[in-house]
Amino acid sequence: MTDRLNVLGVGVSALNLSLAGDIIDGWIRADRREYVCITGVHGIIESRRDPPVRAIHNAAGLVTPDGMPLVWLLRLAGHRNAGRVYGPDLMLLLLERSVSQGFTHFLYGATEATLSQLQAKLTTRFPGLRVMGALAPPFRTLTPAEDSEVVAAINRVNPDVVWIGLSTPKQEIWMAEHRPRLNARVLLGVGAAFDFHAGRRRQAPTWMQSLGLEWLFRLCQEPRRLGRRYLYNNPRFTLEIVAQKTGLRKYSYDG
């Protein structure tokens, strides 16, 4: 069990990419049933805004620090080995390891075109990778019957890992709602990783990621879609962190 740091009421796991991979590998081998929230500033602010989303994060097996601001906060709190656990990087790490371990995978999210490109690129990059299936849900709420079909399709091929490529907080809500119904050992919400690894969207340069500027790169790429997220969430996060660190406001896990 890793330590967690209270960041505005969300318990963020104190770990790095390698440790996160080791923990998830151990869950699969032990036949555990867990889900992982890969969370940055956006996920923290969504959790502040919506208590059920905060509860979903705090019930997760891991809440990994997906953004550098969370890594910096962990290090300031004394977790000197904390590092960024970036969704696309964690996905590549686990997929590479799984080839020798025989773990199997299922992809849920994005579009059919993206999934087709993604599977082709991943199986080329990792010969022997076992992707048991993929589903692209419609851009609307599924009916109960459709949702039951999705659950049945995933359970039928019994993957070890289900990768969910939806936006936050949709993927977190999906994981929490479906965790009791799915036999897969681990559910991982990796957001835009599907688009990145399929080659449909560019990732920020490494130097921008290390400086915590990936948000700026993505904002320049998609200003209409991401403008409100970053221009509202980032200042709010900063102000609330100052309030928490100075003791002006208390943030509990349940309120």
Side-chain angles (χ1 to χ4, degrees):
M1 189 72 176
T2 61
D3 291 339
R4 297 203 185 196
L5 177 67
N6 184 332
V7 179
L8 307 185
V10 175
V12 178
S13 303
L15 37 61
N16 51 42
L17 184 63
S18 179
L19 179 56
D22 291 344
I23 291 170
I24 294 168
D25 284 348
W27 288 346
I28 297 172
R29 288 192 295 269
D31 201 24
R32 292 268 295 273
R33 299 290 189 272
E34 301 284 358
Y35 66 89
V36 177
C37 295
I38 299 171
T39 298
V41 168
H42 177 51
I44 298 293
I45 294 301
E46 287 295 329
S47 296
R48 290 301 313 145
R49 192 182 352 254
D50 190 343
V53 172
R54 182 166 64 252
I56 287 169
H57 277 76
N58 289 331
L62 290 174
V63 177
T64 74
D66 183 41
M68 287 308 298
L70 300 187
V71 175
W72 295 330
L73 289 170
L74 285 164
R75 291 175 180 171
L76 284 171
H79 302 288
R80 287 186 282 181
N81 292 325
R84 189 182 186 198
V85 184
Y86 181 43
D89 290 346
L90 181 60
M91 187 174 186
L92 293 181
L93 174 71
L94 291 174
L95 291 176
E96 181 178 22
R97 288 184 178 188
S98 74
V99 174
S100 60
Q101 295 168 333
F103 298 156
T104 58
H105 306 270
F106 195 98
L107 306 172
Y108 182 80
T111 64
E112 291 185 3
T114 297
L115 290 179
S116 177
Q117 289 177 288
L118 178 62
Q119 289 186 80
K121 287 182 178 292
L122 292 178
T123 52
T124 298
R125 182 168 184 170
F126 304 113
L129 182 68
R130 300 173 65 194
V131 179
M132 311 305 289
L135 283 173
F139 291 98
R140 58 170 173 78
T141 302
L142 272 63
T143 66
E146 289 172 330
D147 191 58
S148 293
E149 289 176 6
V150 167
V151 171
I154 296 173
N155 283 339
R156 190 158 47 244
V157 295
N158 194 32
D160 293 304
V161 181
V162 179
W163 299 95
I164 300 98
L166 305 174
S167 60
T168 294
K170 289 181 180 178
Q171 63 189 11
E172 287 76 19
I173 294 169
W174 192 93
M175 289 190 293
E177 290 179 346
H178 290 79
R179 177 62 288 178
R181 302 166 59 196
L182 291 170
N183 297 329
R185 286 78 187 159
V186 185
L187 314 181
L188 287 118
V190 290
F194 283 18
D195 287 324
F196 291 148
H197 294 322
R200 298 178 70 88
R201 191 181 300 176
R202 291 175 58 206
Q203 289 182 262
T206 302
W207 69 267
M208 293 190 77
Q209 294 184 36
S210 64
L211 291 175
L213 294 175
E214 184 179 11
W215 68 271
L216 180 60
F217 182 87
R218 294 191 65 188
L219 177 61
C220 291
Q221 286 189 313
E222 301 180 85
R224 287 190 177 184
R225 188 174 76 86
L226 299 177
R228 184 183 182 280
R229 174 193 296 188
Y230 293 128
L231 299 180
Y232 171 80
N233 286 355
N234 290 7
R236 178 178 173 182
F237 178 82
T238 302
L239 290 172
E240 294 210 40
I241 286 295
V242 170
Q244 184 180 26
K245 292 301 180 184
T246 57
L248 292 174
R249 185 170 178 183
K250 304 294 184 182
Y251 295 84
S252 67
Y253 289 136
D254 57 359

